[in-house]
Amino acid sequence: EVQLQASGGGLVQAGGSLRLSCVASGFIFDEYAIGWFRQAPGKQREGVSCIVSSDGTTYYVDSVKGRFTITKDNAKSTVYLQMDNLKPEDTAVYYCAADYHKTTGRGCPGFRQSYDYWGQGTLVTVSS
């Protein structure tokens, strides 16, 4: 059974930090790209950052560049999103997703809304 377990969300003041984790299971981690998406109330879901599990290629949307850092631990099939200098506009439910990359190139650096697998989401709330 494929699972993507996102965790680490919470309530933080503006300027603070959080680290999200996404633990993957049920598929060959090294063959996939992992993306972080977010959806704020009343807004469309947007891609935030992604990483290719095999070679570490990363991508960030402009609004988080310099503040968010995506990393991976292949031994643990886990991807992390370190979020620093958080802003109220970062408030959203954050989802991790996996897209088959090995022979398709999908998932990163380009986002698409139809990743193969999705996690359940973790809520990040940034107060001003």
Side-chain angles (χ1 to χ4, degrees):
E1 180 188 4
V2 171
Q3 285 192 333
L4 289 166
Q5 189 74 29
S7 62
L11 174 63
V12 64
Q13 289 188 329
S17 298
L18 284 173
R19 189 177 81 154
L20 306 184
S21 299
C22 175
V23 181
S25 62
F27 60 91
I28 302 174
F29 186 76
D30 290 1
E31 295 183 348
Y32 282 73
I34 307 296
W36 283 99
F37 293 76
R38 66 186 179 188
Q39 187 166 21
K43 294 189 177 182
Q44 286 189 328
R45 186 171 60 196
E46 65 167 344
V48 174
S49 181
C50 62
I51 188 165
V52 178
S53 299
S54 59
D55 65 12
T57 298
T58 61
Y59 174 81
Y60 301 91
V61 68
D62 284 347
S63 60
V64 307
K65 281 182 182 177
R67 300 189 298 122
F68 290 12
T69 304
I70 190 169
T71 58
K72 63 183 179 72
D73 184 337
N74 288 50
K76 296 181 179 180
S77 297
T78 300
V79 170
Y80 304 97
L81 186 67
Q82 177 67 40
M83 306 186 296
D84 298 318
N85 191 22
L86 282 160
K87 303 176 180 181
E89 52 263 43
D90 294 318
T91 295
V93 176
Y94 283 71
Y95 301 88
C96 62
D99 214 11
Y100 184 70
H101 180 88
K102 182 178 180 181
T103 60
T104 66
R106 295 195 316 250
C108 198
F111 293 113
R112 64 189 194 118
Q113 291 299 319
S114 56
Y115 271 47
D116 293 328
Y117 307 115
W118 291 84
Q120 85 289 1
T122 184
L123 177 62
V124 172
T125 304
V126 184
S127 62
S128 58

